[in-house]
Amino acid sequence: MLLADYFDKAFIGFGDRVGQPRLAIYDKNKCIEILMNDHGMDMEEAIEDFMFNTEGAWVGEETPIFLNPMSLEDYTQLYEYEGYANDNKKIKK
């Protein structure tokens, strides 16, 4: 299992799928807080840094998962679930 540098306090567990490597899971919001608190970034800088350098970095099939914690209700409201595919792209009607 591959771990993300600097984000130990944001580690929330791991995920398993049959026949696939175990993946570390991190809370994305906590990662951004760490960048702000431990690395002196403001929110905009932390989000940009995280999206480009961490979330956007593919390091192979063991690349960690960065979770957006929310309830299913919040998800359905945010993405207007009806009319969206599983990959959050609007279905053309």
Side-chain angles (χ1 to χ4, degrees):
M1 183 169 73
L2 186 62
L3 300 174
D5 292 337
Y6 312 114
F7 296 117
D8 292 353
K9 293 182 246 175
F11 180 84
I12 57 173
F14 60 85
D16 291 313
R17 293 188 314 180
V18 174
Q20 301 295 314
R22 175 170 285 166
L23 300 177
I25 302 174
Y26 294 85
D27 181 318
K28 182 187 290 191
N29 296 328
K30 289 181 183 177
C31 291
I32 292 168
E33 286 178 17
I34 289 168
L35 291 172
M36 291 169 57
N37 296 333
D38 297 354
H39 299 273
M41 298 179 189
D42 64 30
M43 182 176 285
E44 187 175 325
E45 291 172 321
I47 290 170
E48 183 177 338
D49 183 274
F50 176 79
M51 290 176 68
F52 182 77
N53 294 311
T54 304
E55 186 178 46
W58 175 255
V59 291
E61 64 180 20
E62 292 186 42
T63 299
I65 294 171
F66 297 95
L67 177 72
N68 293 298
M70 67 177 63
S71 69
L72 181 57
E73 181 181 352
D74 289 342
Y75 175 83
T76 57
Q77 289 176 6
L78 182 63
Y79 291 105
E80 299 174 354
Y81 190 76
E82 188 175 326
Y84 278 78
N86 287 336
D87 63 1
N88 299 330
K89 293 180 182 170
K90 188 89 170 153
I91 298 171
K92 295 183 182 190
K93 293 183 178 183

